[in-house]
Amino acid sequence: MQFLNPKVVLFTMTVIPTFIMPHYSAVPAVTVSIVAITLIGFSAFITWVLFGTIFKEFLQKHNKIVSVVMALLLVYAAIMIWM
């Protein structure tokens, strides 16, 4: 399923033409690069899942405070966009 992740696909479409193809054109080098990019994407996904699991209990326990803080940060972000 990680191959269907749009962030990984966009990352791959950016990295390969920009950083890999100008320096390496051999199939083994490009294959190793694709495998490395896939491993980076998978590790990012696993990190996301682990931190989500860790923070889930905290966020559910302090739901009201988290909601207020997130709302204030959303307002701040909207104000900063227009400044």
Side-chain angles (χ1 to χ4, degrees):
M1 290 301 292
Q2 192 62 21
F3 291 109
L4 301 177
N5 187 344
K7 294 181 296 282
V8 174
V9 172
L10 288 173
F11 178 67
T12 305
M13 289 173 43
T14 303
V15 168
I16 289 178
T18 306
F19 299 107
I20 308 298
M21 295 306 285
H23 304 288
Y24 304 101
S25 60
V27 173
V30 174
T31 304
V32 168
S33 301
I34 291 172
V35 169
I37 291 169
T38 303
L39 290 174
I40 290 169
F42 184 72
S43 64
F45 172 72
I46 292 298
T47 303
W48 182 265
V49 169
L50 289 175
F51 276 103
T53 304
I54 291 169
F55 287 121
K56 178 182 178 182
E57 184 178 326
F58 174 79
L59 294 175
Q60 287 177 341
K61 185 177 179 183
H62 305 288
N63 187 25
K64 182 74 171 178
I65 296 169
V66 170
S67 295
V68 169
V69 169
M70 294 301 266
L72 291 173
L73 289 172
L74 182 62
V75 170
Y76 173 74
I79 291 170
M80 293 307 294
I81 287 174
W82 296 107
M83 291 185 105

